[in-house]
């Protein structure tokens, strides 16, 4: 069966970027653990892809398969931080300009880019000042606690993980090369993943000793993105991220 997805964004290349991301995931995830829909045809207005018959219910086996599959993909080192092209995080552009170190990539291409999108000039200046004051500590901290660049899904919330009667599927990626723990942090941003998933992932590829602090920093990116897209209800989550950076 074929599902046709139409482009609901203002960006002509949004579906093309999504198809590229799906192709990267399909080639790097173990197919016996995690499924990725095949894209049959894509252009600026629509994408024809394999349809998923989602049940909405996780099994223990599916949670463990996703954990093992992601750990396998994350374990493969990539040559730099960034990606071969820019793409999108939800309805906002995502810059993937190449960097040789993770800390500067995350500061420059993730946090500062989102802060630049804040419409309120006073709040934007306030956030810029907070990042500037903590920039050196943040970059140093992230570089000390990131062992390698890994291919990541990039937008790994529950709505982008679908379960059918047998398999778990990943959709709607925002792929890039990053610290693998950005994916794990995102699974905890909204929740919705079985507790077995995190336990199994940690078994296959142990989380770093600083994961809990990194989780708050990495989810600051998603909090800022949601604040820019949906407004004030996400500001408290932004504050948690800023306070974590200030505590480094």
């Amino acid at each position: 069966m074929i599902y046709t997805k139409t482009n609901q964004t203002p960006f002509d290349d949004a579906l093309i970027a999504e198809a590229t991301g799906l192709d990267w995931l399909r080639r790097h995830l173990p197919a016996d653990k995690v499924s990725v829909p095949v894209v049959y045809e894509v252009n600026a207005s629509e994408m024809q892809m394999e349809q998923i018959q989602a049940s909405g219910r996780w099994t223990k086996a599916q949670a463990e398969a996703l954990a093992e599959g992601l750990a396998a993909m994350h374990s493969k080192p990539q040559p730099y931080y960034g990606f071969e092209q820019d793409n999108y995080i939800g309805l906002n552009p995502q810059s993937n300009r190449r960097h040789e170190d993770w800390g500067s990539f995350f500061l420059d291409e993730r946090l500062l880019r989102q802060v630049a999108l804040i419409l309120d000039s006073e709040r934007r200046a306030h956030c810029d000042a907070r990042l500037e004051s903590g920039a050196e500590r943040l970059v140093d901290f992230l570089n000390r606690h990131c062992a390698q660049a890994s291919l990541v899904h990039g937008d790994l919330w529950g709505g982008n993980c679908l379960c059918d009667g047998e398999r778990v599927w990943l959709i709607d990626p925002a792929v890039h090369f990053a610290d693998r723990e950005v994916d794990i942090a995102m699974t905890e941003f909204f929740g919705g993943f079985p507790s077995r998933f995190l336990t199994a992932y940690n078994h296959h590829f142990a989380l770093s000793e600083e994961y809990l602090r990194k989780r708050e920093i990495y989810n600051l990116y998603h909090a800022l993105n949601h604040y820019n897209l949906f407004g004030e209800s996400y500001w408290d989550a932004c504050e948690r991220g800023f306070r974590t950076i200030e505590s480094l």
Side-chain angles (χ1 to χ4, degrees), residues 139-187:
V139 169
D140 176 69
F141 172 79
L142 293 182
N143 286 339
R144 282 189 289 111
H145 298 287
C146 176
Q148 66 178 49
S150 301
L151 176 65
V152 297
H153 178 282
D155 194 10
L156 197 61
W157 70 288
N160 288 338
C161 297
L162 305 179
C163 298
D164 62 18
E166 298 178 356
R167 296 173 289 176
V168 59
W169 298 75
L170 293 184
I171 61 170
D172 292 353
V175 299
H176 55 288
F177 305 144
D179 179 355
R180 66 189 174 100
E181 290 181 339
V182 301
D183 268 351
I184 309 307
M186 182 57 170
T187 68

Side-chain angles (χ1 to χ4, degrees), residues 35-95:
S35 297
V36 179
V38 174
V39 175
Y40 302 113
E41 194 172 328
V42 62
N43 55 44
S45 60
E46 65 180 33
M47 177 167 63
Q48 293 187 346
M49 59 195 296
E50 184 177 3
Q51 185 162 350
I52 303 165
Q53 301 295 328
S55 68
R57 296 184 299 273
W58 287 87
T59 67
K60 178 182 176 182
Q62 287 170 329
E64 292 177 345
L66 177 60
E68 187 173 351
L70 283 173
M73 182 177 78
H74 290 162
S75 69
K76 303 172 186 176
Q78 300 298 334
Y80 59 89
Y81 298 96
F83 196 54
E84 59 185 21
Q85 64 188 55
D86 294 341
N87 45 33
Y88 299 90
I89 183 72
L91 293 175
N92 274 328
Q94 177 169 268
S95 171

